[in-house]
Amino acid sequence: MYDNRGARPTARASAAAVLGAALLLAGCSSSGGGGGGGGGKNTDPGAPITQQPTSADPFWVNPDGTAARQLAAYTKAGKTSDAEQIRKIAEQPVGEWIGPENPEQEARGFTEAAQHADRTALLVLYDIPHRDCGQYSQGGAADGDTYRAWIDGVARGIQDRPAVVILEPDAVLHLVDGCTPAPFHEERYDLLKGAITTLKSLRNTKVYLDAGNAGWGRPDQIYQSLQQAGIDRADGFAVNVSNFYSTQDSLAYGKQLSAKVGGKHFVIDTSRNGNGPDTSGDPSQRWCNPPGRALGETPTTRTSDPLVDAYLWVKRPGESDGTCKGGPKAGEWWASYALALARNSK
């Protein structure tokens, strides 16, 4: 079962546009240690976007993100109730998935905007060759050299600005579960090790290698592959990316895995795990746009376990997993699904 097709979002605005929007709105969106409570608590649909203090949530909220644009559209249309719900998403930092064509420009734009707001950029790198085994998010770099050049571009864009990088969702998992053909294994290990080395050469970048989730299998099935992929060089690993397993189950999985890879720390994607995973319908399709899900814990570095560095929203809530259950293409915004996630959240 291929269980967390966290499809790369649709093409982003140019880095210059992103930075311009951030500079325009920084004073009311994410600067310093102030900011309101966020999370949809402001019932004025026209109120500016705010977020938690940096002490709890140091990550940057993109004022020109998809949810922010949806919030503005609902507000303009007078849809106050819908706007209030979408604000729960718009006021939280979410992963910026770097595209294949302009990695340096995009990484520079996001990290510059975050630095200006005195925040840390959250970036997701998802371009490994033979990505997603031909499913909804298939694609990736054409070959190893293309991927290395892409990683180099990301690194040039980040430079010494603060960034947290989630590296290659599914890349290690698919080496273990048989999805990625054996002839590609050696190259993939080499590419992941190289990416970690390149990114960790940057002064203020933290790297978390994706390590699956609580529902796919056991930690003893993946830890050796994580070691081969260079987990010792990374800051840690990420679990539950684009998936729905509860924070409690993700903690248990992550702690068991940590014990097998030298006590490495980890982060948990809580973006859509508020109601846990779907348990109805075809088990092989439960990962794809399941109904009845909810937003999970809001992003924070104040977690319940010293091994967990952060709860993050790596998958952007409201973006489709793929063309299943009536959804649009993988990574495209799906307003009705976003509203359901928000309404179902506590």
Side-chain angles (χ1 to χ4, degrees):
M1 180 180 71
Y2 310 127
D3 43 81
N4 62 329
R5 304 326 57 167
R8 187 184 68 80
T10 52
R12 309 302 299 145
S14 70
V18 169
L19 178 58
L23 297 181
L24 178 64
L25 299 177
C28 61
S29 65
S30 57
S31 59
K41 294 179 181 179
N42 196 323
T43 57
D44 178 3
I49 291 174
T50 61
Q51 72 174 102
Q52 300 179 72
T54 54
S55 58
D57 174 18
F59 304 104
W60 175 64
V61 171
N62 186 347
D64 191 41
T66 312
R69 293 195 296 272
Q70 184 68 75
L71 170 62
Y74 281 148
T75 300
K76 183 177 180 180
K79 297 182 177 180
T80 303
S81 177
D82 289 346
E84 181 181 347
Q85 294 299 325
I86 290 299
R87 181 177 290 277
K88 296 178 182 179
I89 300 174
E91 293 192 331
Q92 302 304 328
V94 296
E96 300 292 351
W97 297 59
I98 302 298
E101 296 179 357
N102 298 298
E104 181 175 350
Q105 181 187 36
E106 290 188 13
R108 179 179 296 114
F110 292 132
T111 56
E112 284 183 351
Q115 184 182 53
H116 180 83
D118 195 26
R119 299 276 174 161
T120 298
L122 175 61
L123 307 179
V124 188
L125 305 189
Y126 187 52
D127 200 40
I128 202 79
H130 318 293
R131 188 182 71 193
D132 203 33
C133 310
Q135 295 201 106
Y136 294 123
S137 299
Q138 62 182 293
D143 53 39
D145 287 341
T146 302
Y147 184 76
R148 293 183 185 96
W150 184 78
I151 288 291
D152 288 342
V154 172
R156 288 194 302 270
I158 296 174
Q159 297 183 5
D160 288 338
R161 290 180 287 274
V164 167
V165 172
I166 307 301
L167 183 62
E168 294 300 341
D170 299 334
V172 177
L173 175 60
H174 283 168
L175 292 170
V176 179
D177 66 9
C179 180
T180 302
F184 304 135
H185 286 201
E186 183 176 354
E187 178 188 60
R188 179 166 293 187
Y189 283 126
D190 182 69
L191 293 176
L192 291 172
K193 284 188 290 188
I196 293 170
T197 299
T198 297
L199 294 166
K200 284 305 299 173
S201 71
L202 305 176
R203 184 177 301 173
N204 294 307
T205 295
K206 291 186 175 182
V207 180
Y208 295 88
L209 180 61
D210 185 72
N213 59 71
W216 82 273
R218 303 183 308 276
D220 60 7
Q221 294 174 277
I222 197 173
Y223 81 93
Q224 290 178 320
S225 290
L226 286 171
Q227 291 171 332
Q228 286 181 262
I231 189 65
D232 61 310
R233 309 178 188 183
D235 293 276
F237 57 90
V239 302
N240 202 49
V241 170
S242 297
N243 220 299
F244 303 87
Y245 291 95
S246 70
T247 301
Q248 181 178 1
D249 288 346
S250 297
L251 279 166
Y253 173 80
K255 291 171 75 172
Q256 292 172 32
L257 185 53
S258 173
K260 294 179 178 293
V261 291
K264 282 289 185 178
H265 287 207
F266 60 99
V267 296
I268 300 173
D269 185 354
T270 60
S271 57
R272 305 183 298 177
N273 74 346
N275 283 341
D278 188 16
T279 58
S280 63
D282 182 355
S284 68
Q285 287 293 308
R286 288 173 181 170
W287 60 268
C288 191
N289 299 324
R293 301 311 95 198
L295 302 174
E297 289 97 338
T298 54
T300 184
T301 53
R302 294 177 179 174
T303 68
S304 59
D305 191 284
L307 284 174
V308 184
D309 288 343
Y311 298 148
L312 303 174
W313 284 11
V314 182
K315 170 72 174 182
R316 297 212 288 260
E319 294 188 353
S320 177
D321 293 314
T323 53
C324 58
K325 302 182 180 72
K329 291 181 180 180
E332 291 188 3
W333 177 256
W334 189 6
S336 61
Y337 198 81
L339 282 170
L341 289 170
R343 287 176 177 141
N344 291 339
S345 63
K346 298 178 177 62

